[in-house]
Amino acid sequence: MLQQTNMDKMSVCWCLFLGLLLLCRLSLSQECVRELQRNIDFTGSDISFVYSPDEEHCQKLCTQHPACQFFTFLRSDWANDNRNFYCYLKLSSSGQPDVKTPLLGVTSGFSLKGCSAEPRPYLSAVYHNVDFFGADYKTLITADYEECQRVCTQEPGCQFFTFVKADYTPPSIRYKCHLKFSWTIPVPPIVESATGVVSGFSTQPESIPLSDRQTPCQTKLFPGTDIPGDELWTLPAASPEQCHSLCSDHPACTYFTYNSSELSCYLKKNTDQMVLAARDGVTSGLPSRFCPLDNSWMKTPFEGIDFRGSDLRFIPLDNLQACQQNCNDDDYCLFFTYVNEYFHDSSHWRRCYLKRSVTLPAPPMVAKRVGVVSGFSLKSDA
Ligand SMILES: *[C@@H]1O[C@H](CO)[C@@H](O)[C@H](O)[C@H]1NC(C)=O
């Protein structure tokens, strides 16, 4: 909630004043500016930086980041230092960059939140002599990068890859195809228990990983059971069912344990054995593969849970149902928190916070490396 901008506050005042939701939405929407400004730096106003292979991808990251309004990307030809592939996400109270400075090797532009929503982005470029470092879940040997990309496209969990070419030094790792993963389902980064708030997910089809129109497969849960050890990844989660969907999305997750007092989901990797142990306060389970996930849990909001941060904006609304409906109707909202009782102070009461996380495939690190090729899966629903 710290990320709330002055502009949002002003707009919300207007909304209260006018009392019309339509005008509220109009006043909150940003302009649509698609053009990129090459060799122009939008100086300052940084929220954070993330790695990105090119300026279009950086623009998509800014569009999907809840607070980002504009960005500056340091291209591969940036020569002042080694911050190549840094994508600086930015925010200002006016929504515009305060300072624009000519600067070789950078590209700046705006979030596309104000534009009509695009279909799921398709990332077809491949990047020669660029390493998508980290996030590996599997390695194989392939004849060329095209084959590596085909495998990545076919494998459900693969989002991007790095292939080591035939002339790479040292020779021992030539032809290796590294398949890589990032979250493309909504993952609230902070899940906390809090009285007076209710949180939930958008139930728009696009935000749900797989169709719930087909008969979903059974979710296999072991209540009161721990599967100790073999941790692969720990994430906050609001329920064992959400933990199940995270495990099902991660290609290396073999089973999971959910701790309900910590609100933590432990994804685990052990393909050799699974030893169950009775334990109160935790639920374990197995992922579902190659069948529609049971997403019915997403429709029921979580009482007493705050998906803290990640705010797109807030709107005053009378009830939880209206809040959930607003999130469903919003092109960018993936999850929400509604304040249904006194919370911190009375000013938060009845606020509906619309929220989102980045679901675009994004390498955790991008670096120059001679002799490798990187790229994305060509899944149309990635
Ligand atoms: C769950 O988390 C709490 C808090 O960290 C911890 O004390 C408890 O031992 C955990 N429960 C299990 C069964 O791991």
Side-chain angles (χ1 to χ4, degrees), residues 40-49 62 68-74 83 87-101 103 106-110:
I40 298 289
D41 180 31
F42 290 173
T43 315
S45 310
D46 297 351
I47 308 169
S48 63
F49 87 87
C62 177
C68 184
Q69 295 168 328
F70 47 92
F71 66 91
T72 293
F73 176 70
L74 279 53
R83 282 179 297 155
C87 169
Y88 285 94
L89 307 178
K90 293 164 185 273
L91 163 79
S92 73
S93 53
S94 64
Q96 295 291 322
D98 296 325
V99 186
K100 296 185 184 182
T101 320
L103 188 62
V106 309
T107 297
S108 295
F110 291 87

Side-chain angles (χ1 to χ4, degrees), residues 329-344:
D329 293 345
D330 187 281
D331 286 339
Y332 289 96
C333 183
L334 293 178
F335 42 93
F336 61 86
T337 293
Y338 182 68
V339 184
N340 59 356
E341 284 170 41
Y342 186 89
F343 182 65
H344 294 317

Side-chain angles (χ1 to χ4, degrees), residues 184-198:
T184 53
I185 59 172
V187 182
I190 303 173
V191 178
E192 288 178 347
S193 52
T195 45
V197 301
V198 190

